[in-house]
């Protein structure tokens, strides 16, 4: 099988994937920036947006892993020249996802106040969390279905349509945020925090409609549900379960960090949520190349092309490191304007400036970890990723976080835990790739 691994070919997949990937965190970050500049109670409202975003991202990341599982199976069958055998798999997966997401929504929706009390949210922050979540949660099933459709496109080595879907949603969100939060005098009342939530839900609905349109018009995937289930449905569900556990471990780390930041006070949780939302955006920028690795590595693994897989790994690691360094330089150059953009509270900005440098200094480490993570997803090695996150979270992140908290390092301790966590993830996958993946493929060949 001839595979083009030139810089141009990789970027043809990576750049659209990068643009598509940053849409969701930018939606959350836009809400955070606009709410952080409200004339009244901006710190409390922004803290609520940050906490709800962390919780919603946890749910989306845990259940949205179907995107990676679908992409892995479709790309491997494409590489093996057997795509016809899985053309009915995506629609079956989508219907399963709908059932699961509605169930989760039904469980969490009535207990929003109790859920965010566990995050140490109190008083006005807790009231805002409840209001914001009960609107944002409506878009939860929609974004999961959209992700599943995007996974199908990825498996087909197409990141262009996911980019168009994500950009459309982003444009709608940006426009609606301004209109619904601040209102239009004489026409639309200012809805404040609730307006930001409505803007997000409407943009997610637009993305879902567009995703289905492209799936129907631009692919040969079957969209009519039929039985029996595809032979790969069991493998798909095992992958999703492994990724669910992996993401659960990931979100234990994220939620613990939010819990500790909230325990230090409103100023600290606000500063932390600003930094972590920017960190998420950076992660999705790097994820453009990780997504390219996901798509191409699945195809190469399906074709058992060891030589090109090694070349791909070397090139993607190099490109990822370059992107990580560029992010470091860019964020460093705009260090203080970023703080002023996200908050009008001097105390919040002070805590943000004290620790944000750690978040941006670790970008090259993030690049290596995320590139390997994307390639392992493409090859369907979800069990390895599950075990990795369990190991690094419970024996890396949590011990460092607890020790740092004991010594009152506060936000410094949280970011130190993230540095250790990311470093271990990248190192272990780098070692495993050489020892396990290459040997397995050579033996199969």
């Amino acid at each position: 099988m001839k595979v083009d691994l030139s810089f141009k070919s990789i970027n043809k997949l990576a750049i659209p994937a990068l643009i598509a990937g940053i849409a969701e965190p930018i939606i959350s970050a836009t809400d955070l920036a606009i709410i952080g500049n409200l004339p009244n109670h901006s710190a409390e409202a922004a803290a609520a947006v940050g906490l709800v975003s962390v919780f919603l991202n946890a749910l989306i990341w845990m259940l949205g892993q179907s995107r990676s599982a679908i992409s892995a199976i479709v790309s491997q069958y494409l590489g093996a020249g057997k795509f016809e055998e899985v053309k009915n798999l995506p629609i079956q997966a989508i219907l399963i996802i709908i059932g699961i997401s509605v169930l989760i929504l039904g469980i969490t929706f009535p207990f929003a106040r109790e859920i965010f009390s566990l995050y140490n949210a109190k008083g006005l922050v807790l009231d805002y969390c409840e209001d914001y979540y009960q609107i944002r949660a409506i878009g939860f099933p929609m974004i999961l279905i959209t992700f599943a459709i995007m996974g199908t496109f990825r498996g087909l080595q197409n990141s262009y349509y996911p980019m168009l879907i994500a950009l459309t949603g982003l444009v709608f969100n940006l426009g609606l945020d301004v209109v619904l939060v601040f209102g239009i005098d004489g026409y639309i009342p200012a809805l404040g925090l609730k307006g930001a939530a409505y803007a997000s839900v409407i943009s997610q609905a637009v993305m879902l409609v567009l995703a289905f349109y492209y799936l129907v018009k631009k692919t040969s995937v079957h969209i009519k549900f039929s039985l029996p289930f595809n032979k790969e449905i069991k493998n798909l569900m095992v992958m999703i379960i492994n990724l669910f556990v992996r993401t659960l471990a990931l979100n234990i780390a994220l939620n613990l960090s939010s819990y500790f930041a909230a325990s230090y006070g409103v100023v600290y949780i606000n500063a932390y949520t600003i930094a972590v939302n920017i960190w998420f955006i950076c992660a999705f920028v790097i994820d453009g190349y990780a997504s390219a690795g996901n798509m191409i590595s699945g195809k190469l693994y399906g074709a058992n092309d060891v030589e090109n897989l090694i070349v791909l790994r070397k090139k993607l690691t190099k490109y990822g490191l370059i992107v990580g360094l560029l992010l470091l330089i860019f964020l460093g150059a705009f260090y203080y304007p970023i703080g002023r953009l996200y908050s009008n509270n001097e105390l919040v900005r002070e805590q943000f400036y004290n620790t944000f440098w750690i978040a941006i200094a670790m970008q090259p480490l993030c690049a290596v970890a995320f590139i390997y993570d994307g390639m392992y997803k493409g090859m369907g090695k979800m069990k390895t990723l599950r075990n990795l996150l369990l190991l690094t979270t419970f024996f890396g992140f949590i011990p460092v976080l607890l020790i740092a908290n004991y010594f009152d390092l506060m936000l410094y301790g949280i970011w130190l835990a993230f540095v250790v966590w990311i470093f271990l993830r990248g190192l272990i996958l780098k070692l495993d790739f050489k020892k396990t993946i290459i040997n397995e493929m050579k033996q199969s060949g």
Side-chain angles (χ1 to χ4, degrees):
M1 178 182 65
K2 186 177 180 180
V3 180
D4 185 0
L5 295 180
S6 64
F7 180 73
K8 180 179 179 181
S9 178
I10 290 174
N11 275 291
K12 189 176 180 180
L13 294 175
I15 300 302
L18 182 159
I19 296 170
I22 63 174
E24 180 61 26
I26 285 182
I27 287 174
S28 295
T30 301
D31 289 352
L32 189 63
I34 289 178
I35 295 302
N37 285 282
L38 285 173
N40 298 310
H41 307 297
S42 61
E44 289 83 358
V49 170
L51 288 175
V52 171
S53 295
V54 168
F55 179 71
L56 265 178
N57 284 336
L59 291 177
I60 290 169
W61 289 351
M62 283 190 288
L63 296 174
Q65 296 304 318
S66 57
R67 172 174 58 180
S68 296
I70 292 171
S71 175
I73 293 173
V74 171
S75 63
Q76 287 178 35
Y77 270 76
L78 189 69
K82 300 177 181 179
F83 173 63
E84 291 291 326
E85 297 180 17
V86 292
K87 288 176 71 171
N88 66 337
L89 180 66
I91 193 63
Q92 293 176 349
I94 287 170
L95 290 173
I96 292 171
I97 292 163
I98 291 173
I100 295 172
S101 61
V102 170
L103 176 64
I104 296 292
L105 184 60
I107 293 171
T108 60
F109 190 85
F111 301 106
R113 195 168 190 84
E114 290 76 10
I115 289 169
F116 292 104
S117 294
L118 298 175
Y119 282 78
N120 269 335
K122 300 173 184 176
L124 189 57
V125 173
L126 182 57
D127 293 338
Y128 281 151
C129 281
E130 184 177 17
D131 291 341
Y132 187 67
Y133 176 72
Q134 289 188 332
I135 298 170
R136 277 292 307 269
I138 298 170
F140 175 58
M142 293 188 286
I143 199 66
L144 290 183
I145 298 166
T146 303
F147 277 9
I149 295 173
M150 287 181 171
T152 304
F153 281 116
R154 283 188 179 188
L156 294 171
Q157 313 294 288
N158 186 320
S159 58
Y160 177 70
Y161 292 122
M163 178 191 71
L164 293 182
I165 294 164
L167 278 179
T168 303
L170 179 59
V171 169
F172 267 84
N173 184 257
L174 289 173
L176 290 170
D177 249 341
V178 175
V179 171
L180 297 180
V181 171
F182 298 110
I184 298 177
D185 191 32
Y187 295 95
I188 299 174
L191 299 176
L193 184 72
K194 291 184 178 180
Y198 284 122
S200 296
V201 170
I202 294 170
S203 68
Q204 287 165 346
V206 171
M207 290 169 66
L208 176 60
V209 172
L210 198 58
F212 264 112
Y213 172 80
Y214 285 131
L215 185 69
V216 172
K217 295 294 184 179
K218 303 298 181 180
T219 77
S220 59
V221 171
H222 294 163
I223 61 166
K224 183 178 179 181
F225 178 78
S226 61
L227 293 173
F229 280 107
N230 189 279
K231 63 181 180 179
E232 286 291 342
I233 200 72
K234 181 179 179 181
N235 186 28
L236 176 75
M237 296 310 297
V238 170
M239 285 187 183
I240 292 175
I241 291 169
N242 281 329
L243 286 173
F244 181 91
V245 174
R246 167 196 175 272
T247 313
L248 182 62
L250 185 152
N251 280 290
I252 286 173
L254 293 176
N255 284 301
L256 273 177
S257 62
S258 294
Y259 174 85
F260 278 97
S263 72
Y264 304 143
V266 171
V267 168
Y268 290 91
I269 183 59
N270 197 346
Y272 167 74
T273 52
I274 294 170
V276 83
N277 271 281
I278 296 171
W279 190 65
F280 287 153
I281 293 173
C282 292
F284 281 97
V285 171
I286 296 169
D287 194 55
Y289 285 95
S291 296
N294 181 297
M295 289 180 265
I296 302 171
S297 65
K299 188 175 181 181
L300 294 174
Y301 188 78
N304 202 45
D305 190 342
V306 181
E307 184 178 339
N308 276 318
L309 187 66
I310 294 172
V311 172
L312 176 69
R313 190 262 302 178
K314 290 179 179 178
K315 287 192 172 187
L316 287 177
T317 302
K318 180 176 72 173
Y319 300 156
L321 283 171
I322 292 171
V323 172
L325 288 170
L326 289 175
L327 285 171
L328 190 159
I329 294 168
F330 176 81
L331 293 173
F334 291 94
Y335 198 82
Y336 291 100
I338 289 171
R340 292 192 292 270
L341 172 67
Y342 276 94
S343 181
N344 57 11
N345 186 302
E346 290 186 12
L347 294 176
V348 170
R349 290 203 299 264
E350 180 184 355
Q351 291 305 321
F352 172 77
Y353 294 143
N354 284 344
T355 55
F356 185 53
W357 64 270
I358 306 174
I360 64 176
M362 64 191 290
Q363 291 307 309
L365 289 177
C366 292
V368 174
F370 298 161
I371 291 295
Y372 276 104
D373 196 76
M375 291 187 65
Y376 270 66
K377 285 179 181 177
M379 294 183 290
K381 300 299 179 181
M382 314 311 188
K383 183 178 177 181
T384 300
L385 294 176
R386 178 200 70 190
N387 293 339
L388 172 71
L389 259 293
L390 289 171
L391 176 69
T392 56
T393 298
F394 288 100
F395 296 97
F397 184 89
I398 293 177
V400 173
L401 182 66
L402 294 176
I403 292 170
N405 182 68
Y406 178 80
F407 286 103
D408 293 323
L409 295 181
M410 304 179 89
L411 295 186
Y412 289 103
I414 291 174
W415 286 110
L416 178 61
F418 275 120
V419 171
V420 172
W421 190 55
I422 290 294
F423 173 76
L424 290 175
R425 286 171 58 184
L427 177 64
I428 292 171
L429 286 183
K430 178 180 174 64
L431 297 174
D432 183 78
F433 184 85
K434 293 181 177 180
K435 181 180 178 181
T436 306
I437 301 298
I438 301 304
N439 288 338
E440 174 196 316
M441 292 180 69
K442 286 180 177 179
Q443 290 173 6
S444 298

